[in-house]
Amino acid sequence: MSENVNDTILQVSHLSKKFGDNEVLKDINFSVKKGEVISIIGSSGSGKSTLLRCLNLLEEPTSGDIIYKGKSILNRHYKVSHYRAEVGMVFQQFNLFKNMNVLRNCTIGQEKILKRSKKEAEEIALANLERVGVAPYIHAKPHQLSGGQQQRVAIARALSMDNEILLFDEPTSALDPEMVGEVLETMTQLAREGLTMIVVTHEMDFARDVSTRVCFMEHGVIVVDDVPEEVINNPQNPRLKEFLSRYLSDRIASE
Ligand SMILES: Nc1ncnc2c1ncn2[C@@H]1O[C@H](COP(=O)(O)OP(=O)(O)O)[C@@H](O)[C@H]1O
Ligand SMILES: [Mg+2]
């Protein structure tokens, strides 16, 4: 299969992260092409959030490299602010500014970081709030919205920053079950529009139906990295099989 290396936008090589003596990420290698949607699955404590936090430079990797558009972002001469403006993150707990209304939540970063005018920032915010279906609530404060609406505002806020890549850390895990669908639908729509996304998730249907690739992590290692049909429908690795069957039995138990 011929591959255009220029399609690769992010490449992680031999990445390791230690907290003291605890090596939480071990020799992580993977690459992301423009427009790919990568789901990261694995048990609690396997290092998924730490991996996203390293990709976002919320944590400093202990060793290894992260290459963004051909340049090492860990090189001390690299302009980190440039990278930070290109990679956005959506958190489990939404992390909206509680004292600001929906519109302001989506404009403040554009004004302060991207130096856009108030007018331009508001136009872009409104377009993105419409895109995720929460435009009617621009004057509401976060606490007046449901969890699903708050998470969609958080997604609109990230989109308003024109990121090249969006990282999602269990974006539906804090939601009441009836809210999960609307957020997954929004994410599915963004995937179809070609947004590059890395999504830590326990939603196996999303991982199977929307991702281009699924990575299974265990104890800080990517054990399996393959297309969703292989990972979810035809798992060969015994630990992955066990993880998936545990997930299925939990789901049946909760129905
Ligand atoms: N800031 C930190 N300091 C020390 N240990 C941490 C820190 N963050 C995460 N860890 C440890 O790293 C391991 C992986 O955690 P995490 O990346 O949150 O896993 P996951 O997101 O897959 O549940 C856990 O053992 C956790 O205790
Ligand atoms: Mg986590």
Side-chain angles (χ1 to χ4, degrees), residues 70-107:
K71 291 194 181 132
S72 167
I73 65 163
L74 302 178
N75 183 306
R76 61 196 175 88
H77 299 297
Y78 187 84
K79 216 170 157 214
V80 170
S81 58
H82 166 76
Y83 177 74
R84 283 193 204 278
E86 305 248 319
V87 179
M89 183 126 158
V90 173
F91 299 88
Q92 190 174 342
Q93 300 293 346
F94 329 133
N95 292 14
L96 293 173
F97 303 114
K98 293 186 173 51
N99 57 334
M100 296 177 196
N101 71 22
V102 163
L103 185 62
R104 191 68 187 132
N105 261 282
C106 296
T107 58

Side-chain angles (χ1 to χ4, degrees), residues 45-252:
S46 57
K48 305 179 300 296
S49 292
T50 305
L51 175 56
L52 283 196
R53 292 171 61 82
C54 283
L55 294 182
N56 206 17
L57 295 179
L58 288 171
E59 297 285 356
E60 191 186 344
T62 305
S63 60
D65 211 348
I66 300 173
I67 314 284
Y68 178 68
K69 293 187 174 170
K71 291 194 181 132
S72 167
I73 65 163
L74 302 178
N75 183 306
R76 61 196 175 88
H77 299 297
Y78 187 84
K79 216 170 157 214
V80 170
S81 58
H82 166 76
Y83 177 74
R84 283 193 204 278
E86 305 248 319
V87 179
M89 183 126 158
V90 173
F91 299 88
Q92 190 174 342
Q93 300 293 346
F94 329 133
N95 292 14
L96 293 173
F97 303 114
K98 293 186 173 51
N99 57 334
M100 296 177 196
N101 71 22
V102 163
L103 185 62
R104 191 68 187 132
N105 261 282
C106 296
T107 58
I108 186 163
Q110 296 188 66
E111 290 175 32
K112 301 254 176 235
I113 297 166
L114 303 180
K115 309 292 178 204
R116 285 181 181 149
S117 70
K118 183 167 188 262
K119 182 168 175 287
E120 190 189 5
E122 287 188 351
E123 280 168 11
I124 291 169
L126 263 173
N128 284 305
L129 288 163
E130 252 161 47
R131 196 169 162 195
V132 304
V134 286
Y137 309 108
I138 51 172
H139 300 300
K141 293 276 176 63
H143 74 269
Q144 296 172 302
L145 303 181
S146 72
Q149 290 165 338
Q150 289 186 57
Q151 191 59 299
R152 285 186 286 149
V153 172
I155 293 171
R157 178 176 65 176
L159 292 170
S160 298
M161 299 301 286
D162 288 340
N163 301 126
E164 279 273 1
I165 306 180
L166 267 195
L167 312 176
F168 293 80
D169 194 356
E170 300 197 27
T172 59
S173 294
L175 299 177
D176 292 333
E178 67 270 25
M179 310 283 168
V180 170
E182 65 193 57
V183 171
L184 291 179
E185 250 170 59
T186 298
M187 292 169 62
T188 304
Q189 178 197 327
L190 297 176
R192 294 217 178 99
E193 291 170 11
L195 183 70
T196 310
M197 299 161 55
I198 303 178
V199 185
V200 171
T201 187
H202 292 291
E203 296 292 334
M204 294 305 147
D205 293 343
F206 177 89
R208 187 191 55 218
D209 300 336
V210 182
S211 335
T212 49
R213 264 177 35 232
V214 181
C215 295
F216 169 60
M217 281 186 75
E218 195 186 44
H219 304 307
V221 176
I222 296 181
V223 182
V224 177
D225 174 352
D226 207 338
V227 292
E229 302 85 78
E230 290 300 319
V231 180
I232 312 280
N233 294 348
N234 187 28
Q236 301 296 316
N237 181 288
R239 280 151 15 237
L240 170 60
K241 274 188 188 170
E242 198 219 311
F243 171 78
L244 291 172
S245 66
R246 220 177 331 125
Y247 164 81
L248 272 179
S249 58
D250 285 355
R251 191 160 76 161
I252 289 162

